[in-house]
Amino acid sequence: MQTLIINIKELLQVRETHIDKVSGAEMAILPSIKNAFLLIENDSIIDFGEMNNCTNFDNKKIIDAKGKIVLPTWCDSHTHLVYAGNREQEFVDRINGLSYEEIANRGGGILNSSKKLNETSEEEIYNQSKLRLEEIMQQGTGAVEIKSGYGLTVDGELKMLRVIKKLAQNYPITIKATFLGAHAFPLEYRENHAAYIDLIINEMLPQIAEEKLADYIDAFLETGYFSVEETERIMLAGKKYGLLAKIHVNQFTAINGIEACVKHNALSVDHLEIVTDEDIKVLKNSGTMPVALPSCSYFISIPYTPARRLISAGLPLALATDFNPGTTPSGNMNFVVATACIKMKMTPEEAINAATINGAYAMGISQTHGSITKGKKANFIITKPLNSFYEIPYLFTSNLIEKVFINGNCI
Ligand code: NIG
Ligand code: FE
C-alpha cells in the first residue's frame, strides 16, 4: 500500500543524495521543497518533489497536508529513559540550594536511581519505561538511543539492557542500546576503582556481548567519576566486542577527556558544557560527533554547550534530550530544538539539522534515518498548520505536531 502526502506547505530536510552528517557552515542550510508531495510505500520513502510533478493519484491513500510542514522525525541519540522510580525530592533539594554534586556526594544522584533499579522487577521497569517511550514517539521522535547505567551490578545492568531489547522488539521506533556500566562507582567500590572496572570488563561485557544486548559502550568521564585512563580501559574493552564508544564528557570539567575519546574513535562525545580550545582542535577532522543536551543545562542550571564556537570552528553538532530521572526528566525533542535556538543561539535550520541527520549519525543510523531521502525509512512529522517552520522553535511550549509516521505507520 502506498500513501501520498499532498499539498505540503514545506517539506524540510530533503536530501537527494546521501549525506551522513552536516558540519560547520553547512549546518545553516536546511534544504526544502515548497508546495511538495511525499510518497511512501510500506516502511520506506519512495518519492518526493514539487506538487506540479505529482500526477499519479491512483491506488494510494491520500493525506492532504495543506498549510502544514513535513519534516523527518527527531533522532534522539542520548537518553537514559529506562529507569525505576523518580528523583523529585532531589529536584526540590536543588531548589533549596544543594548542587548536583553535593546531592551525589551524600549518596543521592545516580546511586539513588541504582538502588531503586535493583529493587524493582524487570517487568515493572518495562512497564514504567514503555510509557516514556510512547510519550516521546507522540512528541515526534522516530529513533532513540537508550543507555543502561542504573544497574551498576551484573544483574542490574543485564536487567536494564533486556528491558531495552524488549522495548525494541515491541515498538516500531528504532532503538540503539548503549552499555553504561561505567556510570558511577557503587559505594562498595569507592576505594577500589580497579575492581569495579574489572567487573565491567570481565563479568558484564562478555555476557552482554553473548546476548547481543548492546550496540555501543559509554562511560561518565568526569572529575569524581571515571578518569581518562579508566575510560580508556572501558573503551578498549568495548572495542574488543565491536562496541564503539559514546562518552559522557566535559559536563562539569575539562580534563582532556575529549582527546582520549577521539583517539579511540568514539562515535560521539556528549554534554560538552565546558569546552576548551584544545578540545575543539582535537575534534577537527575526526569522525566523532559532539552532542549537546540543552534540556540538561536548563534543568540543573549549568552552562549551555557553546554551539557557536563549535560550529564556527567547522564542527558538526547533534542535539539530544538526555532523558533521565536526575538531570533531565524530559524526552521532548521539540523543547530541545527550541532551547538550542533560544539559549545556544543556533538558527532553526542548524537546530533541525542537529536534531535529525546529525542525531542519526551519533547513533550510527544516518544510512536509514535523519532526512527525506529515497530509500530511507518513512519516518516523518506532519505539523499543524504553521506560518513557517520557524514557528517550531518560536512557539516553544505549543504542541505543533498533528501526526507522526514511524516506519510508514501513523502512530
Ligand atoms: O547525562 N552525567 C551523567 N549522567 C546523566 C545523569 C544521570 C543521573 O543523574 O541520573 C546525564 O546527565
Ligand atoms: Fe546522559
Side-chain angles (χ1 to χ4, degrees), residues 78 80 87 90 100 109-111 113 147 150 180 183 220 222 225 248 251-252 271 273 293 296 300 322 324-328:
H78 181 138
H80 311 246
R87 307 225 300 265
E90 293 178 9
Y100 182 76
I110 295 167
L111 295 185
S113 284
K147 301 170 193 296
Y150 292 124
L180 176 55
H183 200 186
F220 188 11
E222 185 55 67
Y225 291 83
H248 282 76
Q251 183 176 5
F252 302 111
H271 273 290
E273 287 86 346
L293 309 164
C296 172
I300 63 168
D322 201 14
N324 76 76
T327 67
T328 323

Side-chain angles (χ1 to χ4, degrees), residues 230-251:
E230 288 163 349
T231 305
E232 288 197 272
R233 271 194 75 195
I234 302 283
M235 289 192 278
L236 278 173
K239 213 178 271 179
K240 287 207 182 103
Y241 294 96
L243 307 183
L244 277 183
K246 287 169 63 60
I247 303 292
H248 282 76
V249 64
N250 288 45
Q251 183 176 5

Side-chain angles (χ1 to χ4, degrees), residues 91-142:
F91 168 65
V92 177
D93 292 342
R94 265 197 313 278
I95 294 169
N96 287 321
L98 286 182
S99 69
Y100 182 76
E101 198 184 2
E102 284 163 341
I103 291 167
N105 287 342
R106 51 170 211 190
I110 295 167
L111 295 185
N112 181 356
S113 284
S114 171
K115 186 166 179 291
K116 291 190 167 89
L117 189 290
N118 283 290
E119 289 167 357
T120 308
S121 72
E122 189 171 317
E123 194 189 353
E124 175 59 20
I125 298 165
Y126 178 86
N127 288 334
Q128 291 183 18
S129 304
K130 76 174 188 186
L131 299 178
R132 291 186 277 270
L133 189 69
E134 288 166 6
E135 182 183 40
I136 66 165
M137 287 165 64
Q138 295 296 340
Q139 291 168 339
T141 297

